[in-house]
Amino acid sequence: MDAILKTVIGGELVELPGTIAGVRAALDAEQAGEFDREVEHAPATELPLVVVRWALAGTGAEEEDEALFERLVRGEDIGAHEPSDGGTPGSEVT
């Protein structure tokens, strides 16, 4: 069984292919060629990002992110909350 990635898009849980072969199989021939070229030349440290970006292609995730960023730029309250431990977002709790 191939690995899968899970994320939420439009409020729904979505399962995505989690391997290079799985992503390639989900693309049409033209996209698969572009994917292969990009994967072959991606630095090893960036390979996971390349695979995830292609796995998300066509899911609407990019449009959802763009809409959220536009709301943030306008200063809208998007319902984000400070961490309950009082730390800064992204800080590690030990």
Side-chain angles (χ1 to χ4, degrees), residues 1-88:
M1 181 165 142
D2 279 347
I4 59 168
L5 302 172
K6 295 181 181 183
T7 191
V8 175
I9 302 171
E12 299 291 327
L13 181 64
V14 177
E15 292 185 351
L16 304 166
T19 65
I20 290 172
V23 171
R24 183 183 299 114
L27 301 171
D28 65 33
E30 183 178 333
Q31 291 174 319
E34 292 175 37
F35 171 72
D36 286 341
R37 285 186 291 281
E38 187 170 350
V39 165
E40 289 172 359
H41 297 282
T45 57
E46 294 178 25
L47 190 55
L49 299 173
V50 171
V51 173
V52 168
R53 186 169 37 80
W54 278 95
L56 287 167
T59 64
E62 186 172 341
E63 293 82 2
E64 186 175 317
D65 288 347
E66 288 295 323
L68 179 61
F69 292 132
E70 288 173 9
R71 290 179 59 201
L72 287 168
V73 167
R74 289 192 303 264
E76 288 185 34
D77 180 358
I78 61 166
H81 301 280
E82 291 295 323
S84 60
D85 67 359
T88 57

